[in-house]
């Protein structure tokens, strides 16, 4: 009998199997509970590990703190929850002093203020393996916004809140510069040209797509996801949760300026970066087709990139010449 490994199962199948035989449902997204006021409370968690999720050689500490809060806040916004509390645990290694930890914390506090968190807590622990950032955020979705949520149907629009693949490409630019630095280079080469891509990775912004905006517009997406593992991952989650298919058109995917120029330099296809790259920090929503005018009026920065389809379609990427490619993603079988 072949022994299961993470390599053979993939992340998603491993999680599903771990839930087997328990009284709990895997992939119950969002995991709401109703409070006395009739609103719904949910949470989002994130753990960032030095050497895997970030490199302190080129990551400004204040930006790192800010980004870590964005990663949880986006998960709340995706399910129409307004941020409420933020709990942070920092595993601090001996190479970091108080002033450096203070910089990380300043970034976190700046983000907490910006996104309206009402309570913030911090715990510090020693770490032998570099900096560890663990965050848990809670949020509340009002009954009013939940009542606006519609049932998803085939032909509902799939839209995203901004350019995709930029963070991955920015990371590649930084890694290329790090190699040059290790080889003795004394001057930067090309980072100024790709500063928007680098900024997408180091300090992502959440400017539009919050629950307050949808409540004011008078409608609510049928499904919402925060894109941090590539568009492919979000589409597969959408197909799984909705029971419908999804078609996305490659020519409709928005890209940051200079993405194709950098892609040519490092031999990376920008569409592949958008589909499979990480840390984009963009929101994906499905919106009823009869709300398209409201979408265009109230969310002008959003791009419509595809639509839901019949279940047997699955998740597909449509190329400019009309070829439908089955979407796959790391972590899925």
């Amino acid at each position: 009998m072949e022994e299961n490994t993470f390599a053979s199962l993939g992340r998603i199948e491993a999680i599903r199997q771990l839930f087997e035989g328990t009284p709990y449902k895997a992939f119950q997204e969002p995991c709401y509970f109703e409070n006395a006021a009739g609103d719904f409370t949910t949470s989002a968690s994130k753990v960032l590990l030095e050497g895997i999720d970030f490199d302190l050689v080129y990551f400004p500490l204040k930006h790192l703190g800010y980004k870590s809060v964005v990663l949880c806040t986006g998960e709340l916004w995706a399910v129409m929850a307004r941020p409420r509390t933020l709990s942070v645990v920092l595993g601090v290694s001996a190479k970091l002093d108080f002033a450096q930890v203070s910089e990380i914390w300043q970034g976190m506090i700046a983000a907490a203020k910006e996104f309206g968190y009402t309570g913030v807590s911090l715990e510090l622990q020693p770490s032998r393996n570099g900096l560890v950032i663990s965050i848990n955020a809670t949020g509340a979705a009002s009954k009013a916004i939940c009542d606006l949520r519609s049932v998803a149907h085939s032909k509902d629009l799939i839209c995203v809140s901004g350019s995709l693949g930029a963070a991955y490409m920015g990371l590649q630019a930084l890694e290329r510069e790090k190699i040059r630095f290790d080889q003795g280079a004394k001057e930067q080469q090309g980072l100024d040209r790709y500063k928007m891509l680098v900024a997408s990775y180091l300090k992502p912004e959440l400017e539009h797509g919050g629950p307050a905006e949808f409540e004011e517009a008078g409608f609510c997406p049928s499904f919402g996801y925060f894109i941090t593992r590539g568009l492919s991952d979000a589409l597969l989650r959408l197909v799984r949760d909705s029971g419908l298919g999804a078609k996305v058109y490659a020519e409709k995917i928005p890209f940051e300026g200079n993405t194709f120029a950098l892609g040519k330099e490092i031999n990376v296809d920008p569409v592949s970066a958008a589909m499979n790259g990480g840390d984009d920090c963009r929101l994906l929503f499905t919106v009823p087709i009869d709300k398209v005018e409201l979408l265009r009026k109230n969310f002008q920065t959003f791009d419509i990139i595809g639509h839901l389809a019949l279940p047997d379609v699955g998740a597909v990427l449509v190329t400019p010449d009309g070829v439908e490619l089955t979407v796959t993603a790391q972590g899925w079988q």
Side-chain angles (χ1 to χ4, degrees):
M1 180 178 179
E2 183 180 351
E3 182 179 356
N4 285 334
T5 65
F6 282 109
S8 64
L9 291 174
R11 180 176 59 88
I12 298 300
E13 177 61 16
I15 293 172
R16 189 194 68 76
Q17 289 196 20
L18 288 169
F19 270 88
E20 283 185 350
T22 76
Y24 305 104
K25 180 182 178 183
F27 312 116
Q28 188 172 346
E29 299 177 4
C31 188
Y32 283 136
F33 67 89
E34 188 172 3
N35 58 37
D39 294 343
F40 295 86
T41 300
T42 188
S43 66
S45 299
K46 190 72 177 178
V47 175
L48 301 175
L49 305 174
E50 183 180 350
I52 296 178
D53 298 293
F54 58 88
D55 190 329
L56 292 182
V57 169
Y58 50 70
F59 216 125
L61 294 175
K62 192 170 183 179
H63 287 359
L64 178 59
Y66 183 92
K67 179 177 179 177
S68 62
V69 175
V70 167
L71 289 170
C72 274
T73 305
E75 297 287 354
L76 297 178
W77 277 22
V79 296
M80 296 292 105
R82 299 175 189 238
R84 289 291 181 262
T85 65
L86 190 70
S87 299
V88 180
V89 179
L90 295 180
V92 183
S93 67
K95 68 180 181 180
L96 292 176
D97 58 25
F98 178 78
Q100 292 171 311
V101 173
S102 180
E103 280 192 63
I104 297 170
W105 185 239
Q106 288 171 28
M108 291 179 168
I109 291 298
K113 290 180 179 179
E114 179 178 340
F115 299 120
Y117 285 94
T118 56
V120 179
S121 69
L122 173 65
E123 178 61 87
L124 300 177
Q125 294 185 174
S127 169
R128 289 185 176 181
N129 300 311
L131 177 63
V132 178
I133 301 173
S134 175
I135 295 185
N136 178 266
T138 66
S142 69
K143 187 176 186 301
I145 193 68
C146 291
D147 287 344
L148 291 172
R149 190 181 299 278
S150 61
V151 177
H153 296 96
S154 176
K155 301 300 182 183
D156 279 3
L157 304 174
I158 299 173
C159 58
V160 293
S161 64
S163 59
L164 298 176
Y168 178 82
M169 300 299 278
L171 173 59
Q172 301 314 303
L174 288 165
E175 285 290 332
R176 183 175 66 171
E177 200 63 28
K178 179 185 174 182
I179 292 172
R180 292 185 65 255
F181 178 79
D182 290 341
Q183 292 173 345
K186 296 182 179 180
E187 295 183 359
Q188 293 182 353
Q189 180 181 2
L191 284 186
D192 287 342
R193 183 182 181 190
Y194 301 121
K195 60 183 179 181
M196 295 300 293
L197 300 176
V198 171
S200 295
Y201 174 72
L202 294 179
K203 193 176 183 292
E205 303 284 350
L206 280 178
E207 298 176 346
H208 302 287
E213 293 177 82
F214 279 98
E215 194 166 347
E216 184 177 342
F219 74 102
C220 180
S222 46
F223 285 93
Y225 300 93
F226 194 45
I227 304 173
T228 56
R229 294 190 179 99
L231 178 59
S232 293
D233 178 82
L235 290 174
L236 290 172
R237 291 166 65 193
L238 171 61
V239 168
R240 177 194 69 198
D241 297 343
S242 69
L244 295 168
K247 283 189 177 184
V248 166
Y249 297 85
E251 59 190 4
K252 298 293 185 181
I253 296 175
F255 292 99
E256 190 65 71
N258 284 333
T259 298
F260 284 86
L262 179 58
K264 188 174 182 179
E265 285 183 21
I266 63 177
N267 196 30
V268 172
D269 177 16
V271 175
S272 179
M275 298 300 291
N276 303 301
D279 280 1
D280 270 323
C281 295
R282 300 301 188 188
L283 293 157
L284 179 149
F285 291 121
T286 55
V287 177
I289 195 167
D290 61 354
K291 303 294 185 183
V292 64
E293 293 305 322
L294 283 175
L295 178 70
R296 288 173 173 162
K297 176 183 177 182
N298 295 280
F299 300 93
Q300 297 178 12
T301 61
F302 276 64
D303 290 277
I304 299 171
I305 62 170
H307 59 83
L308 293 177
L310 296 176
D312 57 358
V313 171
V316 297
L317 173 69
V318 184
T319 67
D321 53 3
V323 177
E324 296 187 358
L325 304 175
T326 300
V327 169
T328 59
Q330 291 183 354
W332 297 72
Q333 281 190 307

